[in-house]
């Protein structure tokens, strides 16, 4: 599994969340909501500079984005792609099986 972020998503994190070099963003599972990979669950994020069990991470522009081992089940083998949609002014998460586009 991997995490991929677009340049516009990274810019959004820096501007809207006021992230600085060295900050860490954890993507985690929350109950309720919906996603194409798990019914009744959705994805959220928090700034978490004290990870416990990083299972997957990517580093871009001085920032670390990660998922804890306890949340890997949510992805059901999919990679996480994070983008920013300017029209709705929100992050968009997409889930792609390795090898698919």
């Amino acid at each position: 599994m991997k995490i991929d972020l677009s340049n516009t998503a990274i810019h959004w994190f820096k501007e809207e969340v006021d992230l600085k070099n060295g900050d860490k963003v954890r993507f985690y599972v929350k109950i309720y909501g919906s996603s194409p990979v798990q019914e009744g669950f959705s994805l959220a994020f928090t700034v978490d500079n004290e990870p416990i069990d990083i299972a997957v991470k990517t580093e871009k522009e001085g920032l670390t984005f990660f998922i804890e081992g306890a949340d890997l089940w949510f992805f059901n083998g999919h990679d996480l792609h994070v983008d920013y949609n300017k029209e709705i002014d929100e992050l968009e998460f997409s889930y792609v099986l390795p090898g698919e586009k």
Side-chain angles (χ1 to χ4, degrees), residues 27-30 34-35 41-45 74-75 80 93 95:
F27 294 105
Y28 68 94
V29 179
K30 66 178 187 171
S34 64
S35 76
F41 296 91
S42 59
L43 197 61
F45 71 87
F74 172 83
F75 297 92
L80 172 63
F93 301 121
Y95 309 89

Side-chain angles (χ1 to χ4, degrees), residues 2-49:
K2 68 178 182 173
I3 304 168
D4 184 44
L5 292 100
S6 70
N7 290 335
T8 54
I10 293 169
H11 178 76
W12 183 90
F13 275 106
K14 287 184 171 184
E15 292 297 315
E16 297 298 322
V17 186
D18 197 30
L19 296 180
K20 306 288 186 255
N21 281 352
D23 282 342
K24 296 175 180 66
V25 174
R26 177 172 60 103
F27 294 105
Y28 68 94
V29 179
K30 66 178 187 171
I31 299 174
Y32 305 114
S34 64
S35 76
V37 290
Q38 296 292 341
E39 183 72 30
F41 296 91
S42 59
L43 197 61
F45 71 87
T46 186
V47 177
D48 184 350
N49 286 317

Side-chain angles (χ1 to χ4, degrees), residues 79-91:
D79 293 335
L80 172 63
H81 294 264
V82 183
D83 201 358
Y84 168 71
N85 184 324
K86 184 177 180 176
E87 291 180 15
I88 60 173
D89 192 29
E90 289 184 9
L91 290 178

Side-chain angles (χ1 to χ4, degrees), residues 78-79 81 95-101:
H78 292 77
D79 293 335
H81 294 264
Y95 309 89
V96 180
L97 287 171
E100 291 184 357
K101 289 245 174 186

